[in-house]
């Protein structure tokens, strides 16, 4: 027997994510940009591994092992200077394929760090990839679920995927659908805020303030002022219309690092530095030379990876870094003025 509600469910299952979103808007009215972005990204990340050549985009740890190794070296140094606390854990937000964690931990294990690995990841597809590389990792849905221990935490391209609100005057910009395509309800000068990022940052800062440790945040974004509308979609390594394929393109927005710093005020907050200057300060030059000496046939590829990560015309300037720490913990290297 088929009840009306069952047959509706059956229909819903056959509908694409975009179709479900269209129906929701037809039923409930236009949704906020933040709702659109968080719904679309939840579907996007839950249903695929978006990284790498076959996917939609490439991130710094997938470009070169040097990225994760230098982050591991910086975390290891802070941990050693903190007195090598045995209860500290490695933690990561949105670890992708787990590549950064594997590269960082290889360096950290060498100086005696034996702590557990805790990953905050919502995507079942990516959890599977991470577990393959990090068999002992413990998974969590939310930052608040991390165990009450000192953290050595990193987040690369995590905050850019968290939803932004777009404001025009004192009204939120919304997304509608006319039955055929998605469109913004109205235009005008746009201001972005992100309660989702503020909440994640505040949860992280509260953890560090209560239990100790340090965190390193890397993302693309800006250190001062406002940027207007920065919502963007990437699919198959090319920019796409953010409204075109909800759930099948990666939706991100520039990270406002000043806002992250304010939301972390329970901690000691570093200044904001560019990814290129930080990697150079941490010694990517000598690291590239060592790697090339060991793998002479890779010399050109290693040099190209360093340029891609550090050059101002590539990722070096657009990507920024900030660190938070318990006030009694040593500062992470590379943020001195
Ligand atoms: N840090 C990785 C992956 C970046 S992609 C790298 O540098 O390669 C964004 C990551 O954040 C993915 O792992 C995605 O599944 C995860 N993610 C996105 N939104 C999330 C959320 N709300 N909670 C937890 N993880 C999330």
């Amino acid at each position: 027997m088929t009840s009306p509600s069952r047959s509706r469910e059956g229909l819903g299952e056959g509908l694409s994510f975009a179709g479900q979103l269209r129906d929701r808007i037809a039923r409930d009215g236009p949704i906020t940009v933040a709702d659109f972005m968080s719904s679309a990204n939840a579907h996007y990340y839950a249903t695929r591994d978006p990284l790498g050549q076959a996917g939609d985009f490439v991130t710094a740890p997938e470009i070169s092992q040097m990225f994760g190794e230098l982050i591991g070296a910086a975390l290891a140094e802070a941990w050693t200077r903190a007195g090598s606390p045995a209860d500290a854990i490695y933690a990561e937000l949105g670890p992708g394929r787990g590549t950064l964690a594997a590269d960082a931990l290889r360096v950290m294990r060498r100086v005696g760090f034996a702590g557990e690995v805790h990953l905050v990841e919502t995507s079942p597809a990516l959890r599977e990839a991470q577990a393959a590389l990090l068999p002992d990792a413990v998974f969590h849905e939310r930052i608040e679920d991390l165990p009450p221990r000192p953290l050595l935490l990193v987040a690369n391209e995590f905050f850019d995927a968290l939803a932004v609100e777009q404001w025009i005057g004192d009204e939120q910009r919304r997304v509608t659908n006319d039955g055929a395509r998605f469109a913004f309800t109205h235009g005008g000068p746009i201001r972005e805020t992100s309660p989702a990022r503020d909440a994640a940052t505040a949860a992280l800062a509260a953890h560090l303030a209560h239990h100790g440790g340090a965190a390193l945040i890397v993302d693309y974004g800006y250190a001062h002022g406002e940027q207007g509308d920065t919502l963007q979609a990437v699919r198959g390594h090319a920019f796409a219309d953010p409204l075109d394929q909800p759930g099948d393109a990666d939706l991100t927005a520039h990270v406002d690092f000043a806002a992250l710093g304010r939301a972390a005020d329970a901690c000691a907050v570093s200044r904001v530095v560019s990814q290129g200057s930080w990697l150079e300060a941490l010694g990517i030059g000598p690291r590239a030379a060592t790697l090339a000496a060991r793998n002479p046939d890779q010399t050109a590829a290693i040099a190209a990876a360093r340029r891609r990560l550090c050059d101002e015309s590539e990722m070096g300037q657009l990507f920024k870094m900030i660190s938070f720490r318990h006030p009694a913990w040593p500062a992470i290297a590379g943020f001195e003025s």
Side-chain angles (χ1 to χ4, degrees), residues 59-74 99-107 110 216 218 275 278-280 282-295 298-311 321:
T59 55
E62 304 297 332
I63 291 170
S64 167
Q65 68 189 77
M66 296 187 286
F67 183 77
E69 288 171 347
L70 292 170
I71 285 173
T99 309
L100 167 50
D103 291 335
L105 282 160
R106 200 169 53 245
V107 172
R110 257 184 241 142
L216 198 51
V218 192
Q275 173 176 299
W278 190 86
L279 290 172
E280 293 293 346
L282 266 284
I284 194 170
R287 181 72 196 127
T290 306
L291 273 181
R294 270 190 226 146
N295 311 277
Q298 294 289 312
T299 303
I302 293 164
R306 177 186 174 186
R307 283 196 301 275
R308 199 159 162 206
L309 292 172
C310 297
D311 275 13
M321 302 179 64

Side-chain angles (χ1 to χ4, degrees), residues 17-41:
F17 173 77
Q20 292 173 36
L21 204 56
R22 182 195 62 217
D23 285 2
R24 177 145 80 89
I25 290 170
R27 194 180 61 231
D28 302 337
I31 59 175
T32 62
V33 167
D35 189 348
F36 181 85
M37 186 175 173
S38 65
S39 305
N41 272 351

Side-chain angles (χ1 to χ4, degrees), residues 39-335:
S39 305
N41 272 351
H43 177 82
Y44 176 77
Y45 283 108
T47 50
R48 75 207 69 208
D49 171 357
L51 290 151
Q53 279 316 317
D56 291 322
F57 57 92
V58 174
T59 55
E62 304 297 332
I63 291 170
S64 167
Q65 68 189 77
M66 296 187 286
F67 183 77
E69 288 171 347
L70 292 170
I71 285 173
L75 293 176
E77 195 233 11
W79 175 74
T80 306
R81 283 198 288 137
S84 308
D87 59 342
I89 58 173
Y90 176 90
E92 192 172 332
L93 310 179
R97 288 182 171 169
T99 309
L100 167 50
D103 291 335
L105 282 160
R106 200 169 53 245
V107 172
M108 296 166 75
R109 298 300 189 211
R110 257 184 241 142
V111 301
F113 174 75
E116 291 172 4
V117 176
H118 289 261
L119 308 177
V120 177
E121 175 62 70
T122 44
S123 161
L126 287 170
R127 277 188 182 195
E128 202 175 308
Q130 293 154 18
L133 215 51
L134 307 154
D136 298 325
V138 182
F139 290 100
H140 304 281
E141 285 286 313
R142 310 175 315 143
I143 294 165
E144 289 86 340
D145 302 331
L146 288 168
R149 306 222 231 115
L151 302 180
L152 297 161
L153 181 140
V154 55
N156 183 59
E157 292 210 53
F158 170 76
F159 285 93
D160 66 6
L162 300 187
V164 291
E165 293 179 340
Q166 293 193 327
W167 293 85
I168 298 165
D170 56 6
E171 273 198 58
Q172 276 200 66
R173 195 186 198 196
R174 287 174 182 270
V175 177
T176 186
N177 187 293
D178 63 4
R181 46 189 305 275
F182 295 95
F184 292 112
T185 48
H186 55 304
I190 286 162
R191 194 170 54 82
E192 290 182 344
T193 61
S194 180
R197 290 176 188 161
D198 291 350
T201 306
L204 170 58
H207 189 113
L208 293 169
H210 283 116
H211 309 296
L216 198 51
I217 311 299
V218 192
D219 227 307
Y220 83 104
Y222 51 99
H224 310 285
E226 288 183 2
Q227 298 283 304
D229 174 11
T230 74
L231 183 64
Q232 67 180 42
V234 165
R235 189 169 189 207
H237 303 273
F239 287 109
D241 181 334
L243 300 187
D244 223 21
Q245 295 167 303
D248 284 317
D250 182 45
L251 287 182
T252 61
H254 284 237
V255 172
D256 177 348
F257 275 79
L260 290 193
R262 285 192 298 274
D265 65 358
C267 283
V269 176
S270 76
R271 69 191 187 108
V272 180
V273 301
S274 70
Q275 173 176 299
S277 65
W278 190 86
L279 290 172
E280 293 293 346
L282 266 284
I284 194 170
R287 181 72 196 127
T290 306
L291 273 181
R294 270 190 226 146
N295 311 277
D297 56 320
Q298 294 289 312
T299 303
I302 293 164
R306 177 186 174 186
R307 283 196 301 275
R308 199 159 162 206
L309 292 172
C310 297
D311 275 13
E312 296 204 352
S313 59
E314 306 241 6
M315 296 173 78
Q317 183 58 36
L318 178 60
F319 281 74
K320 310 275 191 304
M321 302 179 64
I322 193 170
S323 64
F324 312 140
R325 64 184 165 90
H326 185 287
W329 266 62
I332 295 182
F335 291 92

